[in-house]
Amino acid sequence: MVLMKVDLRQESGRHSETLDAFTNYLGIGKYSEWNEAKKVDFLAKELKGKRPLIPPTIEVSRDVQEVLDAFHIAAELGSDSLGAYVISMASNVERSCNEEESS
């Protein structure tokens, strides 16, 4: 029985860092350096794909692992337990990269 749904929140820069780790691992460049059209195309293609994007044994930084762990927990809890997944400081696909450059 679920009494209250849980919202998950993560800062957009962490998502860019995580996608950088994926694209670097795959040998296709650095996600954060791509233009918005290339990012959207990549994400749309991967969301339609049936294979895992990365292997479960990928070695990543602590911050990237935190993002991956949040997704694993969300998957285990299921939709009945979850409310929204909020990506703060994101207004479009490219926003997080521009924020990091100005920091």
Side-chain angles (χ1 to χ4, degrees):
M1 175 159 85
V2 176
L3 297 176
M4 185 177 191
K5 289 189 176 203
V6 175
D7 289 347
L8 300 176
R9 178 180 295 271
Q10 188 61 265
E11 197 272 324
S12 63
R14 292 278 184 94
H15 287 90
S16 285
E17 184 179 352
T18 300
L19 286 162
D20 277 346
F22 294 171
T23 57
N24 284 332
Y25 174 83
L26 295 169
I28 57 174
K30 190 171 182 182
Y31 175 86
S32 61
E33 294 177 352
W34 296 349
N35 65 38
E36 187 170 355
K38 185 172 180 177
K39 289 176 183 179
V40 170
D41 184 54
F42 171 76
L43 294 172
K45 179 181 164 197
E46 290 302 325
L47 287 170
K48 291 178 185 174
K50 296 190 186 283
R51 67 165 172 79
L53 179 59
I54 54 151
T57 57
I58 187 173
E59 292 185 27
V60 294
S61 72
R62 183 177 171 182
D63 288 345
V64 169
Q65 190 60 54
E66 183 181 290
V67 173
L68 297 177
D69 290 345
F71 287 131
H72 288 293
I73 290 169
E76 289 174 13
L77 291 174
S79 60
D80 289 342
S81 299
L82 298 174
Y85 186 93
V86 179
I87 303 174
S88 61
M89 302 300 292
S91 60
N92 61 38
V93 174
E94 193 157 304
R95 167 100 179 172
S96 62
C97 297
N98 292 333
E99 292 292 323
E100 288 173 5
E101 290 171 5
S102 64
S103 301

